[in-house]
Amino acid sequence: MLNFTDVTEFILLGLTGHREWQVLFITFLVVYIITLMGNISMIMLIKVSPQLNSPMYFFLSHLSFVDVWFSSNVTPKMLENLLSETKTISYAGCLVQCFFFIALVHVEIFILAVMAFDRYMAIGNPLLYGSKMTRVVCIRLISFPYIYGFLTSLAATLWTYGLYFCGKIEINCFYCADPPLIKMACAGTFVKEYTMIILAGINLTYSLTVIIISYLFILVAILRMHSVEGRQKAFSTCGSHLTAVIIFYGTVIFMYLRRPTEESVEQGKMVAMFYTTVIPMLNPMVYSLRNKDVKEAMSKVISRTCSTK
């Protein structure tokens, strides 16, 4: 029996064993470039636009920052393996990929929860919003997802280190993920499997509870508004966030709140491809296309850039 430290590398089976999937290299490369450009552009736009100098966009810039690293943790290796005959990842690389993947998932779900709380403060208490959501408060709120996410990931990665393998080193996925690793292992899976489900359940439940409670209060505040324009503006600012929440939480719940089986791991590959490559690309589009302030700020930046030339 080999233990985890005896393994020097794993074979990533990818999305499918058929070679024709290699033609998707260009597609995934384009998606990755769009993801980087979209999220980095969003961060820079928020930084240079005075009208986006508010807590909502401060948190949005961190969401874009996390999406850049989330995609970069998985996509480059996937692109390399699409063209490679030996689709391998080193033992150390697998652990590092697991660590950052779990950390960034937790950071993102709690940033989405913080953004929901921020929308409640803005819509439910507009007169106190500026005095309550100060720069110091925003920094404290955004610090929690990073600290908690990376500490949780450290514990989860140590449990991954406790898995044992009986010579089988083929991971049925395009990156190192917990479900296929658990399915592949022949010992040490009990603790890892149930801690994965429990941790995912607790953290998703807690963050979703914050989001649901925040939106219940937001709904009450909107129903009390007498202005139709005020209601439309409130729904507009919440629509982008709700879209991001539904897409991200739906895919993560489908992936991590099920016991790893052959069927769930196979289905999980396609779901994982969606939230590691597509969602980070969609987030800046959702916030830019559905948000009037972002579109206006983008137009002003483009106009200033053209006028200077």
Side-chain angles (χ1 to χ4, degrees), residues 14-16 172-174 264-273:
L15 294 170
T16 179
N172 189 17
C173 196
F174 56 92
S264 67
V265 168
E266 194 64 35
Q267 293 171 349
K269 287 196 297 183
M270 303 308 296
V271 176
M273 182 193 70

Side-chain angles (χ1 to χ4, degrees), residues 3 18 46 68 103 114 117 121 172 187-188 206 218 228-229 242 251 262 264-265 281 284 295-296 304-305:
N3 65 26
H18 301 298
I46 292 169
V68 168
V114 168
F117 174 75
M121 292 297 294
N172 189 17
Y206 178 71
I218 288 171
V228 176
E229 185 180 350
L242 275 175
T251 52
E262 289 289 350
S264 67
V265 168
M281 178 186 70
K295 287 189 285 188
E296 288 179 356
R304 286 201 302 266
T305 304

Side-chain angles (χ1 to χ4, degrees), residues 86-113:
T86 57
K87 306 177 187 300
T88 60
I89 185 170
S90 68
Y91 151 72
C94 186
L95 271 187
V96 168
Q97 197 172 69
C98 279
F99 173 76
F100 280 105
F101 183 84
I102 296 168
L104 293 169
V105 166
H106 283 87
V107 172
E108 181 139 349
I109 63 174
F110 282 105
I111 287 180
L112 290 170

Side-chain angles (χ1 to χ4, degrees), residues 1 28 37 40 47 50 63 83 96 102 108 119 135 139 143 149 153 159 182 203 213 238 245 276 278-279 285:
M1 181 181 291
F28 286 123
M37 292 179 61
I40 292 172
K47 188 175 181 63
L63 183 67
L83 297 180
V96 168
I102 296 168
E108 181 139 349
R119 289 300 81 212
R135 186 74 176 177
I139 291 173
S143 297
S153 180
W159 284 317
I182 293 170
N203 292 320
I213 292 175
C238 293
V245 167
T276 55
V278 179
I279 291 179
M285 293 182 181

Side-chain angles (χ1 to χ4, degrees), residues 200-210 249:
I202 290 173
N203 292 320
L204 287 170
T205 300
Y206 178 71
S207 55
L208 264 178
T209 300
V210 173
Y249 275 81

